[in-house]
Amino acid sequence: MYVGIAGVLGALCRYAVGLAVDPVLSAALFPAATLLCNYSGSFALGWLSGGGAARLSLSDNGRAAVASGFVGSYTTFSAFSAETIHLLQAGEGGKALAYVLASLWGGLALAWIGGRLAGRKTSGGGVV
């Protein structure tokens, strides 16, 4: 039940990001809302799995709700795939390649950074 509730919240946040991101930016570069969601979701999941879940004292159910429910519905590989195909079909091979590379390397980097930040010791509530 917790995973389902968190999934609904993640989907609503994903939708809100799509509405909030400037459509001109997406048209000029590549699908910015999906990239933003996938970047922030990669960071969040890296942080959670790198020790953040323990720092928050999340139970197994809480960890599943946040990781699988919220982050799973907030991030979107299917939209990334469809948007890449759309760019290719529109003759935007360079944009498609840039989008794929930015998504892959940016997501990996942010997951790594999140994990590294979560693993640091804290003192007085801040990261040391």
Side-chain angles (χ1 to χ4, degrees):
M1 183 163 110
Y2 295 117
V3 172
I5 292 168
V8 168
L9 294 174
L12 290 171
C13 286
R14 165 70 176 96
Y15 182 70
V17 169
L19 293 176
V21 171
D22 184 5
V24 174
L25 180 62
S26 292
L29 298 172
F30 33 73
T34 300
L35 189 64
L36 177 62
C37 287
N38 288 342
Y39 274 6
S40 57
S42 293
F43 177 84
L45 202 52
W47 188 83
L48 284 168
S49 59
R55 285 177 130 182
L56 296 176
S57 300
L58 289 177
S59 66
D60 289 342
N61 287 338
R63 189 173 18 254
V66 173
S68 296
F70 185 86
V71 176
S73 66
Y74 174 72
T75 59
T76 174
F77 187 75
S78 58
F80 159 73
S81 300
E83 289 162 349
T84 302
I85 295 298
H86 176 75
L87 288 170
L88 290 170
Q89 289 173 338
E92 298 283 353
K95 276 188 189 178
L97 179 61
Y99 183 48
V100 168
L101 293 175
S103 295
L104 176 63
W105 290 109
L108 289 171
L110 286 164
W112 181 80
I113 291 167
R116 296 287 295 171
L117 289 175
R120 292 189 179 176
K121 303 260 189 251
T122 60
S123 173
V127 175
V128 177

